[in-house]
Amino acid sequence: MPEANTPILVHIGSIREESLRILQTAELPSFIATPENASGKIEALKNNVPQLFVAKHAITTQGGDAVLYEYNLPEFNSLAPVSGLKKLYPGLVEKQHRTVETHTLEAALKAHKLNAAPIAQLIIEQPESAQALLQTLEAQGQLHSLTKLWIRTSPESLYAGMPTQSELITTCEQLGFEIVDTQADDPDFVLVELKRNPLYSEYKKLQEKAAKLAQREKEQTAANEKAQAEITQLKQAHEKLTQQHAEQLKKARHEHAAENEKAQAEISQLTQSHQKLTQQYAEQNKALERAQHDAAERQKQNEQLKKHRDEHAAAKEKAQAESTQLKQERDQLIKQQEILREQLRTQQQRNQTLEAEMQATQARQSQLNIELERAEAQLDLIKDLLLKDKLLQR
């Protein structure tokens, strides 16, 4: 079992060739959750992965029972019925569908005591539920430590409810990732590689700071409301005592002289209470002034946070513009590759033609050599006959 702070690689879904190569070269403790029978691939991975943990069930956002659709091509088994996939593979036939047990990723990791390990790399080989899984894992904070991400997808929707490749990449960009490459052993069923956007960490810090400021503002607002309520109560008490004081004074003037001393004592007591309440009212006013000063400070902090947000938005726009330019350059390079490939095919055809002509030339040369040898032999024979004829004439 890896240490609590040791990064791990998590693989969700079928083990296809591209993701198998990634697992073999990642050099990280790896957790694999797959409903397929992949014992042969698992055995092969044990020799290449530092530590390997395997869960033989599918991962979903809610866990619990789900329907697994099985086809005559097992690599296309899924948790949703096929839609556009039948257009690509007309011979694809459903063999059966059955209810299977699924777990959430959090529960699956906890069962293997890996819930404390940060997820450094993630491979999702369930295209029908990739988008929902990403959004749920982000909401649970399980993607915050992620540096690399691979997702199986397609330019078209292959399963019911499955987003297209462009829609999925848009979701990933919103979650703080940018595309690096696509591995396309099958161009209609590609594995997209993404990495963490360099602005993501700064954006998360600003989000956390904004949340803390909002919480402090909420707490201070509650304190201000409480102080205001107490001030209102003190004002009401002060008015009530003032009214009682006035009534007592009026009553005292009409009472007997013998009761005058008692009335004066009561008036003195009421005056002291009034002074005390006045002092409390002044203290509450000071507290309100301090709260207003704190609110002004928070307003300054909010303005500074807005400035940071605007700077972040400008940086994000710049990064998006650079990403668009890189995509355009990539498209241009792809077109150039196609042109070079066409030139290569033309040159190969020319080479084949030259090779055939060379072979024909060599055949003709061989025939000429044979005929030359025959001519030379006939010439030697004629020379011998002429020589013999001269000798006989002598």
Side-chain angles (χ1 to χ4, degrees), residues 37-51:
N37 184 7
S39 56
K41 295 176 182 178
I42 297 297
E43 288 299 322
L45 284 172
K46 287 181 180 179
N47 298 323
N48 297 283
V49 178
Q51 288 179 286

Side-chain angles (χ1 to χ4, degrees), residues 15 135 154 164 195 246 320 382 390:
I15 305 175
Q135 292 171 339
S154 173
T164 63
K195 67 177 182 180
Q320 288 176 342
I382 292 169
K390 285 181 182 181

Side-chain angles (χ1 to χ4, degrees), residues 83-322:
S83 54
L85 192 61
K86 280 194 174 182
K87 295 180 182 178
L88 298 177
Y89 299 92
L92 189 68
V93 177
E94 181 183 334
K95 293 172 60 179
Q96 66 172 348
H97 59 269
R98 56 190 176 89
T99 301
V100 296
E101 181 183 4
T102 72
H103 292 181
T104 63
L105 180 59
E106 183 180 15
L109 291 173
K110 187 174 182 180
H112 288 79
K113 298 182 180 179
L114 295 173
N115 49 305
I119 303 174
Q121 298 182 17
L122 175 62
I123 304 171
I124 300 180
E125 286 277 13
Q126 289 181 189
E128 70 276 15
S129 56
Q131 187 178 55
L133 282 171
L134 282 174
Q135 292 171 339
T136 299
L137 296 177
E138 172 67 17
Q140 294 172 348
Q142 291 180 276
L143 299 184
H144 294 176
S145 58
L146 208 60
T147 58
K148 286 187 177 182
L149 173 65
W150 291 269
I151 309 176
R152 181 70 61 179
T153 183
S154 173
E156 303 297 332
S157 179
L158 305 182
Y159 298 94
M162 171 185 161
T164 63
Q165 181 177 338
S166 59
E167 292 171 342
L168 187 61
I169 290 175
T170 298
T171 297
C172 292
E173 290 174 347
Q174 292 171 351
L175 296 179
F177 294 92
E178 58 185 8
I179 189 168
V180 176
D181 191 14
T182 57
Q183 300 183 33
D185 288 354
D186 181 347
D188 296 312
F189 206 55
V190 298
L191 187 67
V192 177
E193 178 181 356
L194 304 106
K195 67 177 182 180
R196 179 64 75 184
N197 190 305
L199 298 175
Y200 176 77
S201 298
E202 181 180 354
Y203 173 70
K204 293 302 291 184
K205 289 179 182 178
L206 288 173
Q207 272 191 329
E208 292 174 359
K209 186 175 180 180
K212 289 180 181 178
L213 288 174
Q215 180 63 27
R216 286 176 57 187
E217 182 176 3
K218 182 179 179 181
E219 292 173 354
Q220 190 59 50
T221 300
N224 290 344
E225 291 175 353
K226 182 179 179 182
Q228 190 63 44
E230 291 177 352
I231 290 171
T232 300
Q233 290 178 352
L234 289 173
K235 283 182 178 180
Q236 292 174 350
H238 176 261
E239 291 173 357
K240 183 178 181 180
L241 287 173
T242 300
Q243 184 180 1
Q244 290 176 351
H245 184 202
E247 291 175 354
Q248 289 292 338
L249 285 175
K250 184 178 180 180
K251 183 179 179 181
R253 291 191 183 102
H254 296 84
E255 287 181 349
H256 194 268
E259 296 177 351
N260 185 56
E261 185 176 351
K262 182 179 179 182
Q264 289 294 331
E266 291 178 352
I267 291 170
S268 177
Q269 184 178 3
L270 289 171
T271 301
Q272 290 176 358
S273 298
H274 174 262
Q275 291 174 347
K276 185 176 180 181
L277 289 171
T278 301
Q279 183 179 359
Q280 291 178 349
Y281 177 71
E283 291 174 353
Q284 289 292 340
N285 277 335
K286 289 181 181 179
L288 180 60
E289 289 175 358
R290 287 196 298 271
Q292 291 173 344
H293 179 267
D294 291 342
E297 287 296 323
R298 284 194 305 277
Q299 181 65 27
K300 291 180 181 178
Q301 292 175 353
N302 289 338
E303 291 174 356
Q304 186 177 7
L305 178 59
K306 184 179 181 299
K307 181 180 178 182
H308 287 322
R309 286 174 178 169
D310 293 340
E311 291 174 352
H312 171 68
K316 184 176 180 181
E317 289 178 359
K318 182 179 179 182
Q320 288 176 342
E322 292 175 352

